[in-house]
Amino acid sequence: MYIISMSVAVEAVRIHISRSASVGVGSLISSLMPTSLVGGPQPLHARQGREMQRYSQDGARLVAGCIPVRVSEVNGKVDVSVLMITSRGGKGLVFPKGGWEADETVEAAAARETVEEAGVRGALEDDMVGAFPFKSSKAARMHTAEQGRCVAHMFVMHVAEELPTWPEGAERKRIWCSAEKAVELCRHDWMRDALKTRPTRPVDKEHMMLSAIKAPCFAGQCLTNKKLHQRSATQKLRLAPCAAIQLDDLPYSLDALEPHMSKSTFEVHWGKHHRTYVNNLNNQIQGKDLESKSLEEIVKATWNGGSPSAEFNNAAQSWNHKFFWHSMKPGGGGEPSGELKSAIEKDFGSFEDFKKEFSTAGATQFGSGWAWLVKDGGKLKVIKTPNAETPLASGAGVPLLTMDVWEHAYYLDVQNRRPDYIKTFLGELVNWDAVAERFASA
């Protein structure tokens, strides 16, 4: 058997995908197909879209996945159990794998796809099993790879936990079997080759500390025990990297604020700008004490009394944008009510006077920045901040509402007409319910 480097793999000849099945396997696969879930929490969604998909220089789609295993040793005899999952079409058993995206390492992609497709999590062995070229008829049909060519980067995962629900749990079912049986049942030749490439080692669980794992690497979640990111020199095992700071999902769909804020704006603003701030921040804090802190703590720590450290801009922009998304909602705008409205009228004279002051702050912020409604010492105030600055760090007040006046927030919709954007923001988008909740807890 063979292990192929990426550069060689993308030039390698196509691997024939076996469509044959031994007698009795078909009926076994049919019995493994999942039935409709009844009750219980609905599975989380897997990543969607291929905007971040990685490709080789010659157009092959790069994917990542795992061979999930459990290894035990009894009386000197090593026993290896292998986890396989049913394919979506019910044509065989496969290993979890999927697209390797530009904002993640290959290990993180392999771990994420294994959680999404198989609903298991654990520790990856340091050494990749190999990079295996294969043909995907689906990729060819969807034109997501040159002539359907793909290269799969496969790892061995030592499974620590099986999740009761997972993103593709309604479409797939899990089966544990011996390594020998897995070779027999595996649908694809290249997966069979991956399974045969390297025997799996026993695991010293005292060094792995797998019992401390508490959360899967879903978007917006992170493994809670930082010790699990340390390598075990004895067993050469590591967890797939899970970024300390995550890009949270929007509180609504990309097109939910149309026609006032377009899907195209969100695809660029949230999908590219916000994502870049988060990715850059994770790169900056990797291996530092800041990596163990929350985003809010990082913003405050890196403000450094008004002399920001290098990490501040990406941290503050990550926090500001998250706060901004939740400051809007479908069917927003209008006026607040209750205690918040009374406080606005008391401190600004009227709601219309507040709107004028807030609009002026946004319109007169030179270049890039933010307009804010804050609560400072029991009084509501409007302030503006340049670039990434935020009252969360400066202490200018408790932030209640913000409006992004960086040009990328509105240019696709209204070009350089910032006053039109501000009018639309206040009239059609503000989430006064969220502002009221912040005001009540400030």
Side-chain angles (χ1 to χ4, degrees):
M1 296 302 164
Y2 49 85
I3 298 179
I4 309 175
S5 69
M6 186 189 306
S7 59
V8 175
V10 296
E11 297 295 338
V13 296
R14 72 182 64 181
I15 298 247
H16 172 67
I17 297 178
S18 174
R19 302 269 180 191
S20 62
S22 59
V23 177
V25 173
S27 59
L28 172 61
I29 299 305
S30 298
S31 68
L32 293 172
M33 290 307 294
T35 57
S36 299
L37 296 177
V38 179
Q42 293 298 312
L44 297 175
H45 293 295
R47 282 194 176 193
Q48 300 294 325
R50 298 179 185 272
E51 296 83 359
M52 302 290 290
Q53 172 65 53
R54 290 180 188 255
Y55 293 89
S56 68
Q57 290 185 349
D58 65 349
R61 180 172 179 249
L62 304 183
V63 303
C66 289
I67 302 173
V69 301
R70 280 184 176 146
V71 185
S72 59
E73 186 173 358
V74 180
N75 298 325
K77 182 179 179 180
V78 175
D79 179 64
V80 180
S81 297
V82 179
L83 177 65
M84 305 192 76
I85 55 175
T86 52
S87 65
R88 284 196 182 96
K91 297 179 180 179
L93 293 178
V94 296
F95 294 121
K97 56 105 177 101
W100 173 14
E101 299 188 3
D103 65 337
E104 56 190 352
T105 64
V106 66
E107 296 93 340
R112 173 181 57 75
E113 288 290 345
T114 302
V115 172
E116 291 179 359
E117 292 196 355
V120 295
R121 59 191 178 184
L124 300 190
E125 290 188 0
D126 267 336
D127 300 326
M128 184 171 67
V129 175
F132 300 87
F134 67 98
K135 283 274 192 173
S136 169
S137 57
K138 179 180 178 182
R141 289 194 307 272
M142 298 177 65
H143 305 290
T144 56
E146 181 69 25
Q147 298 179 343
R149 292 181 299 108
C150 303
V151 180
H153 302 75
M154 300 299 291
F155 294 81
V156 171
M157 172 184 280
H158 292 264
V159 174
E161 185 177 0
E162 295 183 51
L163 303 174
T165 60
W166 67 99
E168 298 189 15
E171 303 172 84
R172 303 182 186 273
K173 195 162 187 176
R174 298 180 290 221
I175 177 174
W176 285 96
C177 59
S178 66
E180 293 77 12
K181 193 67 174 178
V183 171
E184 175 188 338
L185 297 179
C186 192
R187 180 186 178 196
H188 299 307
D189 281 346
W190 74 265
M191 289 188 178
R192 195 174 290 113
D193 290 339
L195 185 61
K196 292 179 179 179
T197 294
R198 187 177 76 242
T200 307
R201 300 183 295 274
V203 180
D204 184 344
K205 293 182 180 176
E206 179 180 351
H207 289 87
M208 287 176 63
M209 300 179 292
L210 289 177
S211 61
I213 298 178
K214 296 178 182 176
C217 289
F218 285 128
Q221 296 179 312
C222 186
L223 297 170
T224 57
N225 193 328
K226 293 295 177 180
K227 291 182 180 180
L228 289 169
H229 290 277
Q230 300 173 355
R231 295 187 181 186
S232 167
T234 303
Q235 299 300 325
K236 292 199 72 178
L237 293 172
R238 66 179 172 190
L239 283 176
C242 184
I245 305 301
Q246 299 289 325
L247 176 67
D248 289 347
D249 291 337
L250 291 168
Y252 31 72
S253 64
L254 290 170
D255 61 355
L257 301 189
E258 289 186 335
H260 312 297
M261 188 172 286
S262 67
K263 179 179 179 181
S264 297
T265 288
F266 276 107
E267 287 173 339
V268 173
H269 196 178
W270 171 78
K272 296 187 185 233
H273 288 280
H274 191 180
R275 184 187 297 274
T276 298
Y277 296 132
V278 172
N279 290 345
N280 288 344
L281 175 61
N282 280 315
N283 290 335
Q284 288 177 315
I285 66 175
Q286 187 174 7
K288 300 178 181 178
D289 290 342
L290 290 172
E291 193 173 19
S292 65
K293 297 182 182 296
S294 68
L295 178 58
E296 184 171 320
E297 289 171 334
I298 295 172
V299 172
K300 293 177 179 179
T302 57
W303 173 243
N304 196 30
S307 300
S309 61
E311 301 86 356
F312 175 78
N313 283 337
N314 285 308
Q317 285 292 80
S318 297
W319 189 89
N320 288 351
H321 279 87
K322 181 178 178 179
F323 192 82
F324 176 57
W325 307 137
H326 288 269
S327 292
M328 300 182 291
K329 71 172 185 177
E335 297 187 9
S337 59
E339 293 183 3
L340 174 60
K341 183 177 182 179
S342 298
I344 288 176
E345 291 173 341
K346 173 179 175 291
D347 293 330
F348 293 97
S350 69
F351 180 68
E352 286 302 316
D353 288 336
F354 156 74
K355 287 173 61 178
K356 289 177 183 177
E357 188 169 339
F358 191 84
S359 298
T360 299
T364 59
Q365 171 54 47
F366 181 76
S368 302
W370 302 80
W372 303 85
L373 172 65
V374 301
K375 185 178 181 181
D376 182 24
K379 183 182 173 98
L380 298 183
K381 299 192 320 188
V382 166
I383 64 171
K384 58 183 178 180
T385 59
N387 301 316
E389 286 190 23
T390 171
L392 175 69
S394 67
V398 178
L400 305 179
L401 172 68
T402 194
M403 177 177 62
D404 188 349
V405 293
W406 284 65
E407 200 168 63
H408 60 235
Y410 55 85
Y411 196 86
L412 290 178
D413 294 329
V414 295
Q415 287 75 55
N416 63 344
R417 301 190 303 274
R418 188 189 287 185
D420 291 350
Y421 159 71
I422 294 172
K423 181 179 179 181
T424 298
F425 177 82
L426 288 170
E428 308 291 346
L429 296 175
V430 174
N431 184 352
W432 287 114
D433 293 334
V435 178
E437 290 178 8
R438 296 163 181 167
F439 172 73
S441 60

